[in-house]
Amino acid sequence: MSSNGTSESRRHIQVLIIGSGLSGLGTAIRLSQRGLTDYLVIERGADVGGTWRDNTYPGAGCDVPSHLYSYSFALNPNWSRSFSPQAEIEQYLRQVADRYGVRDKHLFDTTMTAARWIDADGRWEVDTSNGAFTADFVVSAAGVLAEPNLPDIKGISSFEGEIFHSARWNHDASLAGKKVAVIGTGSSAVQIVPSIAPQVERLDVYQRTATWVMPQLNRPYLAPERFAFRHVPGLQRMIRALIYIARETFVVTQVKFPWTGLLLEAVGRAKMWLEIRDPEKRRKVLPDHRIGCKRMLVSNKFYGALDRDNVDLVTDGIAEVRERSIVSEDGTEREVDAIVLATGFHVADSPTFNLYIGRDGRTVSEAADAEGYQMYKGTTVANFPNMFFMLGANSGLNYTSLIYVIESQINYIVDAVTTMQQRNLQSFEVKLDAQHEYNRGLAPKMARTVWVTGGCTSWFLDKHGNNSALWPDFSFRYRKLVRAFDIEAYETTAKTS
C-alpha cells in the first residue's frame, strides 16, 4: 500500500501530464486532437501558464519575437508589440486553453509528491496533494524555468528586510524610496533593473559574470498591422517563417563557426560605449568570454539604468548578508532594505527529478549523478519506461523559440502513444545502447560550439561540466530527428490481456 492508498483506490489515467505551461498545455491539446482523450494534467498552480503565470516581476517579457512565440496551430494576431510582455503571453495561454476546451482535463492546485514505476503492473503510480493515480504513460512537463535557484550565501536567512526571488515577486512590498539590491545580471535582471531603478533611493546590482547585451528591436504594432495579421491570409505565417529563418542564422555563430561571433561582439561593444558614460562601469560590464557562450541578453534599457547616479554595479562578490546589509568580498558593507534574487533556476538539477523513481529504484537525479544527465533525443531515458521528458537533456535552444522544440517533442509523444495502442503494447523503454550511441553522436557537434570553446561557465553546464541543456545544431534537424516514434530503439512488452 502506498501512502495515498491501495492500487484499487487509485484513479487510472492513460496519459498523466505533470505541469501546464507551454509543454503540458500543448501536449493536452494535441492528444485531444488525435482522439486520445484519456489524459489528465496536474498543475500545482491555480491556472495554466507555467513560467508566464509565475514570473510577474516588473518589466517581465519575452526575448523571442512575438510571432514566433506561439503555437503553430494557434497563431495570435493580437500581439501588441514585436516582443510580448508577460501579461499578454499569460493571457494568450489561457485563451488557447479555453479555445481548445482542455480546462476540464486539468487538476489545478495539485502538486505531485512521488511517482514510481511498478514493473509488475507495467504502469506508473503517482501520488499528489489531491489524490493518487496510476498511469500508463507519464509526461514530465514541469518546465526548465520552474524551480527558483536560491543562492547559498552566508547569513542570508538572517536578513530582516524584504527578500524574494524574481519568480516569486512580492507585489505587496513597495520598493519606492528604498535601498535595494538585485543579485544577478541574467535575463530577469536586465528587465527588472531598468524597471525599478527610477523609483528606488539606491540600487546595488551584484554581478558575478558580465554577459553580452544586444539591442532589442522592440516596437508597438500599429492598428493597421494588427488588422492585416487578422485578415490577410498567410501574412502572419510568412512573417513567422522569416523570423524563424533569421533566428536559425545564430547557429552559425554559436555552433558551426564561433569566430563569426566577433561581428556581434563589435555591436555589443558599441552599445556599451554609446549607453554607459562611466568608464569604470563600462569596464565592469565588458564580458571576458565569446558571445553566445552564455545566453545573450537583449535590452535597450539595461545599460542606461546601470549608468544612473543612484545605481552601483558591484563585481567583488558577496561575502555575507547581515540583518540590514550586504558585505562584499572586498569588505565593503552596503545598507539595504530589500533584496531581489535574480539568480535563475534549477535546470539540469530540477528538484522534480528527485520524485520520479524508475525501474531499478533510482530517481532521475540518482541516475544523472552516476551517469551524467543524458537522454535519448531529449525525450526518453533508460530505466524510466513509459515516460517522456519535455525539454529534456540537450533539447533546449539558445537562439530561437523553445515552442518549436516543444511541438516537435509533442508530435513524438503522441506518435508513441498511438503506436503503443496500435501494437497492443504495455511498456517501452529506450535501449541503453541506443541512448549511449545517440549521446556519443552529440559529442563531436558539441565540442566545436561556443558553449564549450567560449571560455565561460553557465547554467547550460551540469555538475560534470557537460552541456546537457542545449541542442548543438539547427532546430529543424532536431524536428526531423523526432518526426516519428522509432520503436526499434526501444525494448517493449506486450499487454497480457
Side-chain angles (χ1 to χ4, degrees), residues 93-295:
L93 293 173
R94 290 182 177 182
Q95 290 172 343
V96 168
D98 292 336
R99 185 192 315 171
Y100 290 93
V102 297
R103 280 188 181 275
D104 61 346
K105 292 288 190 176
H106 281 69
L107 202 57
F108 293 113
D109 297 311
T110 300
T111 302
M112 184 188 73
T113 56
R116 297 168 296 276
W117 172 254
I118 307 301
D119 212 30
D121 299 332
R123 59 177 51 169
W124 285 89
E125 285 189 355
V126 180
D127 297 332
T128 79
S129 61
N130 196 16
F133 303 87
T134 58
D136 295 329
F137 306 98
V138 169
V139 179
S140 177
V144 294
L145 302 179
E147 298 294 336
N149 183 20
L150 302 178
D152 183 16
I153 300 173
K154 179 183 176 182
I156 195 168
S157 61
S158 67
F159 184 67
E160 295 179 351
E162 295 286 351
I163 182 169
F164 45 85
H165 191 275
S166 58
R168 302 291 183 268
W169 194 271
N170 182 2
H171 291 277
D172 294 329
S174 174
L175 301 182
K178 302 284 184 66
K179 299 179 179 68
V180 180
V182 173
I183 299 177
T185 52
S187 299
S188 299
V190 300
Q191 296 177 340
I192 293 169
V193 169
S195 299
I196 67 173
Q199 60 178 282
V200 304
E201 176 186 337
R202 196 190 75 235
L203 179 60
D204 297 323
V205 181
Y206 287 83
Q207 171 187 279
R208 183 172 60 179
T209 307
T211 304
W212 292 98
V213 180
M214 303 300 290
Q216 186 179 44
L217 303 177
N218 192 4
R219 67 174 184 86
Y221 285 126
L222 303 176
E225 290 178 291
R226 294 197 298 274
F227 179 86
F229 297 152
R230 286 192 295 271
H231 298 290
V232 178
L235 175 62
Q236 197 173 9
R237 290 200 179 276
M238 181 188 71
I239 294 173
R240 178 185 173 95
L242 292 174
I243 295 172
Y244 172 78
I245 292 169
R247 287 274 165 160
E248 288 295 292
T249 62
F250 282 101
V251 177
V252 176
T253 63
Q254 295 188 16
V255 177
K256 304 298 183 180
F257 305 104
W259 62 267
T260 59
L262 291 172
L263 299 174
L264 291 176
E265 289 179 19
V267 174
R269 288 173 184 270
K271 182 177 173 65
M272 292 175 207
W273 277 90
L274 290 172
E275 298 180 10
I276 299 179
R277 298 164 301 166
D278 185 340
E280 179 60 18
K281 286 183 180 178
R282 202 184 297 148
R283 181 190 64 79
K284 288 180 177 180
V285 300
L286 181 63
D288 61 0
H289 58 266
R290 300 293 298 273
I291 194 166
C293 185
K294 298 169 73 72
R295 183 176 176 85

Side-chain angles (χ1 to χ4, degrees), residues 239-430:
I239 294 173
R240 178 185 173 95
L242 292 174
I243 295 172
Y244 172 78
I245 292 169
R247 287 274 165 160
E248 288 295 292
T249 62
F250 282 101
V251 177
V252 176
T253 63
Q254 295 188 16
V255 177
K256 304 298 183 180
F257 305 104
W259 62 267
T260 59
L262 291 172
L263 299 174
L264 291 176
E265 289 179 19
V267 174
R269 288 173 184 270
K271 182 177 173 65
M272 292 175 207
W273 277 90
L274 290 172
E275 298 180 10
I276 299 179
R277 298 164 301 166
D278 185 340
E280 179 60 18
K281 286 183 180 178
R282 202 184 297 148
R283 181 190 64 79
K284 288 180 177 180
V285 300
L286 181 63
D288 61 0
H289 58 266
R290 300 293 298 273
I291 194 166
C293 185
K294 298 169 73 72
R295 183 176 176 85
M296 282 188 296
L297 308 178
V298 290
S299 175
N300 297 331
K301 301 177 180 178
F302 181 59
Y303 283 157
L306 292 183
D307 203 42
R308 292 176 59 96
D309 293 335
N310 69 327
V311 177
D312 190 16
L313 182 63
V314 184
T315 59
D316 294 311
I318 298 174
E320 66 173 312
V321 176
R322 295 176 180 170
E323 288 83 356
R324 285 288 176 178
S325 64
I326 296 178
V327 181
S328 55
E329 291 178 350
D330 66 350
T332 303
E333 183 175 4
R334 295 173 175 85
E335 184 181 349
V336 62
D337 301 312
I339 299 176
V340 176
L341 303 173
T343 48
F345 300 85
H346 292 280
V347 180
D349 60 342
S350 171
T352 60
F353 293 164
N354 293 312
L355 303 178
Y356 298 113
I357 302 173
R359 179 177 44 77
D360 67 1
R362 292 185 299 168
T363 65
V364 176
S365 296
E366 289 169 339
D369 284 341
E371 300 153 9
Y373 182 49
Q374 294 186 352
M375 291 185 181
Y376 179 68
K377 298 186 176 181
T379 308
T380 59
V381 60
N383 185 48
F384 294 86
N386 289 22
M387 186 168 188
F388 305 97
F389 292 86
M390 301 297 296
L391 299 177
N394 292 115
S395 67
L397 299 175
N398 187 33
Y399 53 87
T400 191
S401 175
L402 274 177
I403 299 177
Y404 187 84
V405 165
I406 288 170
E407 289 197 40
S408 301
Q409 292 179 332
I410 289 172
N411 292 338
Y412 190 76
I413 291 169
V414 172
D415 192 49
V417 174
T418 303
T419 300
M420 295 290 287
Q421 280 188 332
Q422 292 172 342
R423 301 196 182 192
N424 199 35
L425 297 174
Q426 180 70 37
S427 69
F428 70 84
E429 180 182 353
V430 66

Side-chain angles (χ1 to χ4, degrees), residues 27-69:
T27 303
I29 292 170
R30 283 306 200 195
L31 286 171
S32 292
Q33 290 177 329
R34 288 291 294 271
L36 300 168
T37 58
D38 186 10
Y39 69 85
L40 180 70
V41 186
I42 61 173
E43 166 56 50
R44 67 183 180 183
D47 206 339
V48 302
T51 189
W52 296 109
R53 179 198 62 229
D54 295 340
N55 284 265
T56 60
Y57 58 80
C62 190
D63 58 5
V64 174
S66 299
H67 288 301
L68 198 57
Y69 205 79

